[in-house]
Amino acid sequence: AAGPIRQDLGRHEVTVDGRAVHLTPIEFKLLGELMRHAGKVLTHRHLLHQVWGPGAEHETHYLRVHMAALRRKIEAEPGRARWLLTEPGVGYRLRDDASP
């Protein structure tokens, strides 16, 4: 869990503030990777490799499109993300309860 975000891997469910959020399989996998490493910056290359597999490490547009969709579903204000943070030129980070 990170703030209001809960992911139940066994049930393949995600809730935000107790409300169910429908994610595509890619979005679910992407959120799962971010949640496993909450608070840490994950590089574009790492996320692409983990979510899309070997050979996708240079397809950063995949990541941008899916992160934008994930933000629209998770964030209260997608344009001013509180939880799914961009680390410019590096990657993304899921803010955990302890990070600023």
Side-chain angles (χ1 to χ4, degrees):
I5 307 163
R6 303 276 179 275
Q7 184 178 41
D8 184 327
L9 297 173
R11 293 178 179 211
H12 210 268
E13 293 176 345
V14 172
T15 59
V16 178
D17 284 328
R19 74 177 163 80
V21 176
H22 173 74
L23 300 182
T24 67
I26 290 283
E27 292 164 353
F28 191 85
K29 204 169 176 184
L30 185 54
L31 180 63
E33 190 63 18
L34 288 162
M35 290 195 78
R36 263 191 299 286
H37 303 282
K40 294 187 173 80
V41 177
L42 299 181
T43 65
H44 298 123
R45 184 180 181 92
H46 172 87
L47 288 167
L48 287 162
H49 182 82
Q50 293 300 317
V51 176
W52 283 271
E57 287 95 348
H58 301 291
E59 306 294 340
T60 53
H61 60 283
Y62 291 177
L63 202 46
R64 279 195 303 275
V65 168
H66 286 87
M67 281 301 293
L70 199 50
R71 278 193 181 120
R72 283 194 298 274
K73 295 176 180 184
I74 301 274
E75 297 282 358
E77 293 180 67
R80 294 178 47 193
R82 256 189 89 208
W83 297 100
L84 300 168
L85 307 176
T86 299
E87 298 294 339
V90 181
Y92 296 94
R93 175 170 60 96
L94 176 70
R95 184 171 82 89
D96 64 3
D97 296 328
S99 58

